[in-house]
Amino acid sequence: MSVTTFGRAITAGLRRALDEDPKVVLMGEDIGQLGGVFRITDGLQKDFGSHRVLDSPLAEAGIMGTAVGLAYRGYRPVVEIQFDGFIYPAFDQIVCQVAKLHYRTQGAVRMPITVRVPFGGGIGSPEHHSESPEAYFTHTSGLRVVSPSTPQDAYTMIRQAIACDDPVLYFEPKRRYHVKGEVDESVGTGTPDLGAARVVTEGTDVTLVTYGPLVTTARDAALAASDDGISIEVIDLRSLAPIDYGTVEASVRKTGRLVITHEAAQSGGLGAELAAGITERCFEHLEHAPVRVTGFDIPYPCSKLESHHLPDLDRILDGVDRALRRPNSLTGATPGGAR
Amino acid sequence: MSVTTFGRAITAGLRRALDEDPKVVLMGEDIGQLGGVFRITDGLQKDFGSHRVLDSPLAEAGIMGTAVGLAYRGYRPVVEIQFDGFIYPAFDQIVCQVAKLHYRTQGAVRMPITVRVPFGGGIGSPEHHSESPEAYFTHTSGLRVVSPSTPQDAYTMIRQAIACDDPVLYFEPKRRYHVKGEVDESVGTGTPDLGAARVVTEGTDVTLVTYGPLVTTARDAALAASDDGISIEVIDLRSLAPIDYGTVEASVRKTGRLVITHEAAQSGGLGAELAAGITERCFEHLEHAPVRVTGFDIPYPCSKLESHHLPDLDRILDGVDRALRRPNSLTGATPGGAR
Amino acid sequence: MSSDGAVSGSRTTAGATVFPGPAHPDADVPVHLVDPDGVRHPHASYDPLVADVDGAALQRLYEDLVVVRRIDAEATALQRQGELALWPPLLGQEAAQIGSGRALRPDDFVFSSYRENAVAYCRGVGLADLLRVWRGSASSGWDPYTVNMATPQIIIGAQALHATGYAMGITADGADSVAVAYFGDGATTQGDVNEAMVFAASYQAPVVFFCQNNHWAISEPVGLQARVPIARRAPGFGIPSVRVDGNDVLACLAVTREALARARSGGGPTYIEAVTYRMGPHTTADDPTRYREAHELEHWAARDPLARLAAHLDSLGLLPAEYADAVRSRADAVAAELREACISMPEPAPSALFEHVYSEPNSWLERQQDHYERYLALFGATSAEGPR
Amino acid sequence: MSSDGAVSGSRTTAGATVFPGPAHPDADVPVHLVDPDGVRHPHASYDPLVADVDGAALQRLYEDLVVVRRIDAEATALQRQGELALWPPLLGQEAAQIGSGRALRPDDFVFSSYRENAVAYCRGVGLADLLRVWRGSASSGWDPYTVNMATPQIIIGAQALHATGYAMGITADGADSVAVAYFGDGATTQGDVNEAMVFAASYQAPVVFFCQNNHWAISEPVGLQARVPIARRAPGFGIPSVRVDGNDVLACLAVTREALARARSGGGPTYIEAVTYRMGPHTTADDPTRYREAHELEHWAARDPLARLAAHLDSLGLLPAEYADAVRSRADAVAAELREACISMPEPAPSALFEHVYSEPNSWLERQQDHYERYLALFGATSAEGPR
Ligand SMILES: Cc1ncc(C[n+]2csc(CCOP(=O)(O)OP(=O)(O)O)c2C)c(N)n1
Ligand SMILES: Cc1ncc(C[n+]2csc(CCOP(=O)(O)OP(=O)(O)O)c2C)c(N)n1
Ligand SMILES: [Mg+2]
Ligand SMILES: [Mg+2]
């Protein structure tokens, strides 16, 4: 057990995977000598050699396509996409090959590829560096999509993702790379299941679901709300595809109210699936329609405006107020209603 | 007013657009001499010349990227993607450029690009020829996404899409190309608005929403249900992004029940957005959770199995039965319950 | 232009690069060992590579050509009769595929497009397996590992990267096998194919890029994809290349052997452009009369790969009538077997819909499958038939 | 290897193509007119192209180099002081950018990456406009049509296709302007850049591909992207190319003029590889000491583009101290103006979030905007400030 940053926890998980399985290879732009632009692979090429940690030529389709070939040959490629916004050139290989080859070949060919994607905003970057493209992948059958939110999960889940025989998109909330937390490296890859959601704080009034970068914000919101006597149950999805509906449903059956928050655009985002899926599963327990607090339906804006675009504590609480039918932005607030 | 096929109606719309605006250019693989694999551009290169109707080299990113350059230069490119499953190499150009350039340049650069995509299944094709990728695009801010379902709409909407100053993904339900209907070529591009949904049949018990390939099936389902005394209001969305929530909401306020059907995979499909959006807008009018009748969360299967994957009349009616809490597949049917 | 088929560079003058003569994708003469009339010509570099090909070996190549053409014709007929949904004929490309396919070792690994049925035949793919995809019964015809050939790729060009990655794995394993990527002239435009060249060159991967330039990508002539011979593209990526007469089975064998030997010995990738011609339609759904002239077909019919080898064998006295008849009967027997395999192919069960999407159970899918099974139960349908 | 910089082909032997000597991305000598010591060398083909460049013109080029270097240094300083979020320095690449940028006509159209600030300067982009993106105030610094230069592209290589498409439009319009695509050595690997070459060649589009090979793509050396000189790639696509000393402003001017003239006269695309060096970090967020040796920088410092032109001017007696001082002061004044423009740049209003996503009203967005405005109203916030 030691205290380490979220980023270092991923590094440790990668190191462990390289250590344990000679078939694990890391691929990506600048991941070797430089250790990646976020230094997540720092030191790994030095320790494992350039045949295990490959600097790839600058082409994401090329990286993903050669990863497919390596998987065909029995390797377990772990691909780093430098930033969220650069995954699209690889989209065809991901959607048509990585996601489908196991099905296409009736199970003969496995694609145990892990795609690491630093994602999300809030780091003051120019365009294409703050995207939240997860919904494209959660809608793609054949893929698994996960996002850790704590150093411990970052460590455990990267190992689970690499150990998984199916392709996993592993979305790293890059603005949390420097957050510190305890990491127990002796935890195995068995529990919790890679697909299992985590109840972050228990509560009785509202279920607040999120993942990755906004889990901390959601927890803070729950803390702030408790001052107003509102009890929020915060759930960290961890797995975005498939969603652990069991855990969310159990919570909503208790609270009767669901708020979902993510950075991605609202329309067609993961919140839509979650709202639809929960309504399907426990309509009669809902006291209010599921509320979505999300990024707007706009291209990611310039960094001076990103704080408006990204859901924050206040916007989440406004959503909670809506779910509870308390004064909120839509009803118009009572004076002093804003925190 | 004349009777023509769905496919020919698109051809007529393209011809009219080429005629009226010298800045309209058609681009795509095999669209010139061959007239496209579906013959939608048949005769257009002969009549307008190979500088207006271009056979493109075989690369979808290349086609989309050069279309962006042509749009920069003031042209209105109409791109044909040969089949739904071949749009992914162009995904990066669509998502990062076509969708964002207008926003990026604060309105200085317009991207009046129309992307024609024959989509959907049911034609007995091998893999990659029967995809329903629309949800990737409806989740992409900056794009408009539409899908016609009748020859008249095919004609009017292709003209509207081309006239629109924003990029439009125009999804053509390819298995309906040969369906015939009346087309009034004197209809202008003004009404109905490209964004407006259409009430196909009025009804009072359930609102059944769909688009493109399944509109006919939905209409047939409504007809069949009327024999059982069930009154279904069928809505053809026409515009998938943005969705005309006003029309759907008005219907659901009346019926209290919503069934959504599409061929695309369920999780994260357009049905999720519609269910979430309608629940948000008129939760208190819902008598039942919105029901989704969709393709499964699987890669598109081999054609011998596609009839199982694709929602058909019976599966839609089963969904209607669920919404109405009549005996259905989930409750287990009363003997003779299956039509 | 060099006449030995090796790629020559552009001529340079003081100043900028100037191309010799009008740019044309057929400007360079390809390597050939046997000419269209069946006459064998000596070739200093390639003769040694096929020195072992004696009369019996030539006859085996001939048998291959006859059989795969017969398979192709039968499959086309099966499609016309409604037994297959679609078929992509390889008519005209037999020599390119057999010449290269027969150069491979069992432990080499092939990544092909949809048209390489003769290559699949060389790899030992079963007759029924050739048809599964086209009958609509499965999305892949065979288990790639049983024949060391990937399931044919429909996304144009994608497999070039797969072959390159696989070859990187061969290097990492310290093995001396080779990955081979087959693709068409149209595919050369795709980003994936070009990126594959960069990756292959950078990692010096043991991969052979085998481009069958059959002059057409559906209705698009090769000139739309390439203004100069396709084989000239690779050297700019640091990859040696060769342009070969794709209708000369012996030349195809020779250049492929050379490329494989280079790859096995650590010499990295090679790019082969096999110049051939798609004598049939793109697929059975295509009508080539809409876009090409009859005289083009005639031109290439005179260069038919099968007729050429037959003429050569004949000139050697290796094609007596009874032998030719025997070969033909054998081909007919194979065709009959193919037909039988097609018609008796079992229908896939609806439960197959949900299998192998993931290698582990998946909650989303289990729920959908459970629901669909309950739905089918409404109709009292067994899992082998649907509601209709 | 030819020593005049034009791309020479691979040597061929009977058999397959063999590359002369070890494959290396710097194997070919680039075109140069002025050497690193400032000595002008005659060049039969390129001298006529710069015959008009007299002493005054040389001085103007010098002034450009000094000013853009000064702008670059000031922007770097502004970033270090927290006034900019990020800056991609062009230090070392001034000659490549000024030499090519000054060859253009106003009606030509530039599609660049993020590092071409000196090209933007040539196009007349305002000082504040150079900084908007890097300060985080906007996603593009200027209206592309006012300066005929697209907003810089961050997606590596995407702009090569835009330039090609734009050039296709020029042809369709019957105009004689040219589109120019700037990109780096790293970008040459991307599918988009390769596809752009196919399209440009096929349509004979009036486009110039201007690749600045600055030897690095962040931490990746050019050798990872190219095993042979980059300029050799284009001829394989049917596009003439030239390798030029990117630190020789006069040579860059000459080869760009040649390419533009070819394009204007219907000769189609040209590919230029300008061999230069990124003397600074990739961006201000990068630490190049992690991946490259100090001696490499020293090697290139001795080939500094500015020092070279200064030496050349000096040898012509065109760099008297008072002139040099005056240029320096002018550059300082520009730097001061830049700083002022940066610091006084207005903050964008939150309402800008929702503007220009579409050119027409959009129901989804209007609802969200309305909601967000009501939300802001909760805090009594004006639209110019957020809740925090
Ligand atoms: C990415 C992609 N785009 C388009 C298609 C449609 N398509 C199928 S085959 C073909 C032509 C391929 O030509 P070529 O590469 O020369 O191979 P050939 O068919 O001649 O063997 C096209 C455009 C596809 N399958 N994949
Ligand atoms: C599609 C894409 N992938 C990755 C990146 C991240 N990235 C930004 S700059 C860069 C290196 C570019 O190198 P080069 O093309 O040589 O241009 P230079 O920076 O040297 O001017 C990379 C990998 C990106 N911007 N876009
Ligand atoms: Mg072809
Ligand atoms: Mg560079």
Side-chain angles (χ1 to χ4, degrees):
Chain A
M1 194 78 135
S2 67
V3 172
T4 187
T5 63
F6 191 100
R8 293 281 103 200
I10 304 174
T11 313
L14 292 171
R15 176 178 293 281
R16 180 86 173 260
L18 282 163
D19 242 342
E20 284 175 356
D21 185 348
K23 291 296 185 191
V24 171
V25 290
L26 273 48
M27 311 166 70
E29 295 157 9
D30 303 294
I31 68 165
Q33 178 103 0
L34 182 63
V37 296
F38 292 109
R39 309 289 186 264
I40 303 301
T41 54
D42 193 21
L44 298 179
Q45 186 179 68
K46 195 166 133 280
D47 294 348
F48 293 94
S50 56
H51 59 298
R52 303 285 308 280
V53 181
L54 284 70
D55 272 319
S56 308
L58 208 177
E60 290 76 11
I63 299 171
M64 204 62 66
T66 51
V68 168
L70 279 158
Y72 248 110
R73 178 82 192 173
Y75 283 83
R76 289 189 178 269
V78 183
V79 166
E80 173 174 309
I81 298 291
Q82 197 162 83
F83 276 86
D84 34 55
F86 309 146
I87 198 168
Y88 305 118
F91 201 73
D92 176 58
Q93 286 284 349
I94 295 175
V95 166
C96 296
Q97 310 297 336
V98 176
K100 291 183 175 156
L101 263 162
H102 190 257
Y103 189 69
R104 179 179 306 150
T105 61
Q106 291 144 65
V109 179
R110 296 202 157 166
M111 284 288 128
I113 297 177
T114 302
V115 184
R116 293 182 38 239
V117 191
F119 87 122
I123 63 160
S125 272
E127 239 192 318
H128 310 293
H129 292 76
S130 306
E131 307 281 306
S132 296
E134 61 274 18
Y136 295 132
F137 303 99
T138 56
H139 181 53
T140 303
S141 308
L143 300 179
R144 297 187 62 158
V145 183
V146 304
S147 184
S149 77
T150 66
Q152 180 69 56
D153 274 357
Y155 175 78
T156 308
M157 288 167 69
I158 189 66
R159 292 184 57 213
Q160 291 176 319
I162 296 171
C164 179
D165 277 341
D166 295 316
V168 181
L169 278 276
Y170 178 92
F171 281 98
E172 305 174 1
K174 67 171 96 83
R175 62 165 144 145
R176 303 292 179 195
Y177 275 146
H178 299 293
V179 166
K180 286 189 175 165
E182 299 232 309
V183 174
D184 180 353
E185 295 200 16
S186 71
V187 167
T189 55
T191 42
D193 186 273
L194 182 57
R198 179 174 69 98
V199 176
V200 180
T201 61
E202 298 200 1
T204 51
D205 296 334
V206 184
T207 301
L208 173 59
V209 178
T210 190
Y211 51 89
L214 289 180
V215 172
T216 307
T217 317
R219 205 194 46 209
D220 293 348
L223 211 64
S226 70
D227 293 346
D228 286 0
I230 302 171
S231 166
I232 301 183
E233 179 145 310
V234 175
I235 294 179
D236 174 3
L237 284 181
R238 298 173 73 258
S239 173
L240 316 188
I243 287 172
D244 175 2
Y245 270 115
T247 299
V248 182
E249 184 180 345
S251 176
V252 173
R253 281 178 184 262
K254 181 171 67 177
T255 64
R257 297 165 202 273
L258 174 63
V259 176
I260 309 141
T261 185
H262 56 60
E263 296 187 6
Q266 177 162 111
S267 296
L270 197 68
E273 170 55 36
L274 196 71
I278 283 297
T279 306
E280 248 159 51
R281 283 167 174 84
C282 51
F283 178 69
E284 64 287 0
H285 290 86
L286 284 176
E287 308 278 351
H288 190 280
V291 170
R292 293 183 280 174
V293 179
T294 68
F296 303 117
D297 286 355
I298 60 174
Y300 201 86
C302 62
S303 61
K304 294 252 183 198
L305 292 179
E306 69 181 334
S307 68
H308 288 276
H309 177 62
L310 296 172
D312 59 11
L313 189 141
D314 288 317
R315 267 175 70 202
I316 290 173
L317 288 179
D318 182 52
V320 168
D321 287 342
R322 270 186 279 152
L324 286 165
R325 295 202 168 82
R326 286 163 46 97
N328 64 68
S329 58
L330 286 179
T331 60
T334 49
R339 279 166 204 87
Chain B
M1 195 77 132
S2 65
V3 172
T4 185
T5 64
F6 192 99
R8 293 281 104 200
I10 303 174
T11 313
L14 292 171
R15 176 178 295 280
R16 179 85 174 261
L18 282 163
D19 242 342
E20 284 176 358
D21 185 348
K23 292 296 185 190
V24 171
V25 291
L26 273 47
M27 312 166 68
E29 295 156 9
D30 304 293
I31 69 165
Q33 178 102 0
L34 181 64
V37 296
F38 293 108
R39 309 288 186 265
I40 303 300
T41 54
D42 192 20
L44 298 179
Q45 186 179 69
K46 194 166 133 281
D47 294 347
F48 294 94
S50 55
H51 59 296
R52 303 284 310 280
V53 181
L54 284 71
D55 272 321
S56 308
L58 207 177
E60 290 75 12
I63 299 171
M64 203 61 65
T66 51
V68 168
L70 279 158
Y72 247 109
R73 178 84 194 174
Y75 283 83
R76 287 187 179 271
V78 183
V79 166
E80 173 174 309
I81 298 292
Q82 198 162 81
F83 277 86
D84 34 55
F86 310 145
I87 197 168
Y88 305 118
F91 201 73
D92 176 59
Q93 287 284 348
I94 295 175
V95 166
C96 296
Q97 311 297 335
V98 175
K100 291 183 174 156
L101 263 161
H102 191 256
Y103 189 69
R104 180 180 304 151
T105 61
Q106 290 144 65
V109 179
R110 294 200 160 168
M111 283 290 127
I113 297 176
T114 302
V115 184
R116 293 182 39 240
V117 191
F119 87 122
I123 63 161
S125 272
E127 240 193 317
H128 311 293
H129 291 75
S130 305
E131 308 280 307
S132 295
E134 61 273 20
Y136 296 132
F137 303 100
T138 56
H139 181 53
T140 304
S141 308
L143 300 179
R144 297 186 62 157
V145 183
V146 305
S147 184
S149 76
T150 66
Q152 181 68 57
D153 273 357
Y155 174 79
T156 307
M157 287 167 70
I158 190 67
R159 292 184 58 212
Q160 291 175 318
I162 296 171
C164 179
D165 278 340
D166 296 316
V168 180
L169 278 276
Y170 179 92
F171 281 97
E172 305 174 1
K174 66 172 96 83
R175 61 166 146 146
R176 304 291 179 196
Y177 275 146
H178 300 292
V179 166
K180 285 190 176 166
E182 299 231 309
V183 174
D184 180 354
E185 295 199 17
S186 71
V187 165
T189 56
T191 42
D193 187 273
L194 182 56
R198 179 173 69 97
V199 177
V200 179
T201 61
E202 299 199 0
T204 51
D205 296 334
V206 184
T207 301
L208 173 59
V209 178
T210 191
Y211 51 90
L214 290 179
V215 172
T216 307
T217 318
R219 204 194 48 209
D220 294 347
L223 213 62
S226 69
D227 293 347
D228 287 359
I230 301 169
S231 166
I232 301 182
E233 178 143 310
V234 175
I235 294 180
D236 174 2
L237 284 181
R238 295 173 76 260
S239 172
L240 317 189
I243 287 171
D244 175 3
Y245 270 116
T247 299
V248 182
E249 185 181 344
S251 176
V252 174
R253 280 177 185 264
K254 181 172 68 176
T255 63
R257 297 165 201 274
L258 174 63
V259 175
I260 309 141
T261 184
H262 55 62
E263 296 187 5
Q266 176 162 112
S267 296
L270 198 68
E273 170 54 35
L274 196 71
I278 283 297
T279 306
E280 248 158 52
R281 283 166 173 85
C282 52
F283 178 69
E284 64 288 358
H285 291 84
L286 284 176
E287 309 277 351
H288 190 279
V291 170
R292 294 183 277 174
V293 179
T294 68
F296 304 117
D297 287 355
I298 60 174
Y300 201 86
C302 61
S303 61
K304 293 253 182 198
L305 292 179
E306 69 181 335
S307 68
H308 289 276
H309 177 62
L310 296 172
D312 58 12
L313 190 140
D314 288 316
R315 267 175 70 201
I316 290 173
L317 287 179
D318 182 53
V320 168
D321 287 341
R322 270 185 280 152
L324 286 166
R325 295 202 168 80
R326 285 162 47 96
N328 63 69
S329 58
L330 288 179
T331 61
T334 50
R339 282 163 206 88
Chain C
M1 286 295 89
S2 76
S3 64
D4 66 351
V7 170
S8 63
S10 47
R11 189 156 47 84
T12 60
T13 63
T17 305
V18 176
F19 287 96
H24 189 280
D26 276 329
D28 301 338
V29 177
V31 172
H32 65 271
L33 300 180
V34 177
D35 73 17
D37 300 322
V39 180
R40 172 83 188 256
H41 297 269
H43 195 295
S45 7
Y46 289 110
D47 282 344
L49 282 155
V50 289
D52 63 315
V53 181
D54 56 13
L58 277 176
Q59 283 183 325
R60 281 196 300 276
L61 288 171
Y62 175 74
E63 290 157 27
D64 280 345
L65 295 182
V66 173
V67 170
V68 298
R69 177 166 291 188
R70 189 65 188 83
I71 288 174
D72 192 59
E74 192 68 17
T76 302
L78 284 164
Q79 195 283 330
R80 301 290 179 218
Q81 293 152 13
E83 295 295 342
L84 297 179
L86 196 74
W87 179 255
L90 59 79
L91 188 70
Q93 302 179 220
E94 296 87 351
Q97 295 189 18
I98 294 293
S100 57
R102 285 300 180 205
L104 305 181
R105 263 184 3 204
D107 63 339
D108 295 331
F109 205 102
V110 170
F111 292 85
S112 79
S113 90
Y114 41 83
R115 205 183 296 285
E116 283 76 36
N117 288 298
V119 178
Y121 174 82
C122 293
R123 301 305 287 165
V125 170
L127 293 175
D129 292 349
L130 286 178
L131 303 184
R132 290 185 203 289
V133 167
W134 310 107
R135 191 162 164 90
S137 307
S139 291
S140 74
W142 58 85
D143 174 344
Y145 297 115
T146 59
V147 289
N148 282 344
M149 174 163 175
T151 186
Q153 182 58 245
I154 290 176
I155 301 297
I156 299 295
Q159 74 277 16
L161 284 167
H162 305 166
T164 303
Y166 189 96
M168 290 161 61
I170 291 174
T171 305
D173 291 342
D176 75 343
S177 55
V178 178
V180 185
Y182 284 88
F183 50 84
D185 47 301
T188 61
T189 296
Q190 287 283 11
D192 280 8
V193 173
N194 292 286
E195 293 182 7
M197 286 197 275
V198 177
F199 279 69
S202 261
Y203 296 119
Q204 286 294 287
V207 57
V208 175
F209 298 111
F210 195 95
C211 173
Q212 285 171 83
N213 171 2
N214 65 5
H215 283 80
W216 291 93
I218 308 186
S219 75
E220 300 190 337
V222 59
L224 188 62
Q225 327 282 346
R227 305 240 327 155
V228 297
I230 288 172
R232 290 200 203 167
R233 204 162 286 182
F237 290 83
I239 298 178
S241 69
V242 61
R243 189 162 208 258
V244 65
D245 184 333
N247 289 5
D248 175 353
V249 69
L250 203 60
C252 289
L253 181 70
V255 300
T256 310
R257 283 178 167 184
E258 179 189 44
L260 292 169
R262 180 180 297 133
R264 289 194 213 293
S265 62
T270 301
Y271 191 109
I272 298 169
E273 178 196 2
V275 182
T276 178
Y277 191 74
R278 192 195 80 208
M279 297 179 76
H282 170 68
T283 64
T284 46
D286 178 43
D287 173 9
T289 64
R290 287 181 69 100
Y291 53 81
R292 68 185 189 190
E293 310 280 346
H295 65 76
E296 197 184 276
L297 187 56
E298 283 157 29
H299 172 88
W300 283 95
R303 282 155 188 76
D304 185 294
L306 216 162
R308 179 185 311 203
L309 186 56
H312 182 55
L313 283 177
D314 200 27
S315 74
L316 300 172
L318 291 169
L319 196 69
E322 55 283 23
Y323 168 70
D325 286 348
V327 174
R328 206 173 303 120
S329 323
R330 205 191 116 213
D332 287 339
V334 171
E337 206 186 314
L338 181 85
R339 170 169 292 270
E340 176 52 30
C342 178
I343 290 167
S344 63
M345 198 176 294
E347 296 288 289
S351 61
L353 273 180
F354 300 97
E355 282 162 17
H356 305 301
V357 181
Y358 297 93
S359 59
E360 294 165 22
N362 181 285
S363 57
W364 278 356
L365 211 51
E366 278 168 4
R367 186 166 180 266
Q368 293 181 11
Q369 177 164 12
D370 168 65
H371 190 175
Y372 191 60
E373 277 165 9
R374 295 207 222 176
Y375 171 77
L376 288 183
L378 277 189
F379 298 85
T382 72
S383 70
E385 18 161 322
R388 347 211 99 151
Chain D
M1 286 294 90
S2 76
S3 64
D4 67 351
V7 171
S8 64
S10 47
R11 190 158 46 85
T12 59
T13 62
T17 305
V18 176
F19 287 97
H24 188 280
D26 276 329
D28 300 339
V29 178
V31 172
H32 66 271
L33 300 179
V34 177
D35 73 18
D37 300 322
V39 180
R40 172 85 187 255
H41 297 269
H43 193 296
S45 8
Y46 288 111
D47 282 344
L49 282 155
V50 290
D52 61 316
V53 182
D54 56 13
L58 278 176
Q59 282 184 326
R60 282 196 300 275
L61 289 171
Y62 175 74
E63 290 157 28
D64 279 346
L65 295 182
V66 172
V67 169
V68 298
R69 177 167 291 188
R70 188 67 187 81
I71 288 175
D72 192 59
E74 193 69 18
T76 302
L78 283 164
Q79 195 283 332
R80 301 289 180 218
Q81 292 152 14
E83 295 294 340
L84 295 179
L86 195 74
W87 180 253
L90 60 79
L91 187 70
Q93 302 178 221
E94 296 87 351
Q97 295 189 20
I98 293 294
S100 57
R102 286 300 180 205
L104 304 180
R105 264 184 2 203
D107 63 340
D108 296 331
F109 205 102
V110 170
F111 292 84
S112 79
S113 89
Y114 41 83
R115 206 184 294 288
E116 283 77 37
N117 287 299
V119 178
Y121 174 81
C122 293
R123 302 306 287 165
V125 170
L127 294 175
D129 291 350
L130 287 178
L131 304 183
R132 289 185 206 288
V133 167
W134 309 107
R135 193 165 164 88
S137 306
S139 291
S140 75
W142 59 86
D143 174 344
Y145 297 115
T146 59
V147 289
N148 282 345
M149 175 164 174
T151 187
Q153 182 58 245
I154 290 177
I155 301 296
I156 299 296
Q159 74 277 15
L161 284 167
H162 305 167
T164 303
Y166 189 95
M168 289 160 62
I170 292 173
T171 305
D173 291 342
D176 76 342
S177 55
V178 179
V180 185
Y182 284 89
F183 50 84
D185 46 302
T188 60
T189 296
Q190 287 282 12
D192 279 8
V193 173
N194 292 286
E195 293 182 7
M197 287 196 274
V198 176
F199 280 68
S202 260
Y203 296 119
Q204 286 293 289
V207 57
V208 175
F209 297 112
F210 195 95
C211 174
Q212 287 172 82
N213 171 3
N214 66 5
H215 283 80
W216 292 92
I218 309 186
S219 74
E220 299 190 337
V222 60
L224 187 62
Q225 327 283 346
R227 305 239 330 155
V228 296
I230 288 172
R232 290 199 201 166
R233 203 162 289 180
F237 291 82
I239 298 177
S241 69
V242 61
R243 189 161 208 258
V244 65
D245 184 334
N247 288 5
D248 175 355
V249 69
L250 203 60
C252 289
L253 181 70
V255 299
T256 310
R257 282 178 168 183
E258 178 189 46
L260 292 168
R262 179 178 300 132
R264 289 194 213 295
S265 62
T270 300
Y271 192 108
I272 297 170
E273 178 196 1
V275 183
T276 178
Y277 192 75
R278 192 196 81 207
M279 298 178 76
H282 171 68
T283 65
T284 46
D286 178 42
D287 172 11
T289 63
R290 288 181 70 100
Y291 53 81
R292 66 186 190 189
E293 310 280 348
H295 67 77
E296 196 183 275
L297 187 56
E298 283 158 29
H299 172 88
W300 283 95
R303 281 152 189 79
D304 185 292
L306 214 161
R308 178 186 311 202
L309 186 58
H312 182 55
L313 281 178
D314 200 27
S315 73
L316 300 173
L318 290 169
L319 196 69
E322 53 285 22
Y323 168 71
D325 286 348
V327 175
R328 206 172 304 120
S329 320
R330 206 192 116 214
D332 287 339
V334 172
E337 208 186 312
L338 181 85
R339 169 169 292 269
E340 176 52 29
C342 178
I343 290 166
S344 63
M345 198 176 294
E347 296 288 291
S351 61
L353 273 180
F354 301 97
E355 283 163 16
H356 305 301
V357 180
Y358 297 94
S359 60
E360 293 165 22
N362 180 287
S363 56
W364 279 357
L365 212 51
E366 277 168 3
R367 185 165 181 267
Q368 293 181 9
Q369 177 164 15
D370 169 65
H371 189 174
Y372 191 60
E373 276 164 10
R374 296 209 223 174
Y375 170 77
L376 287 183
L378 275 190
F379 299 85
T382 72
S383 70
E385 18 161 323
R388 337 218 106 144

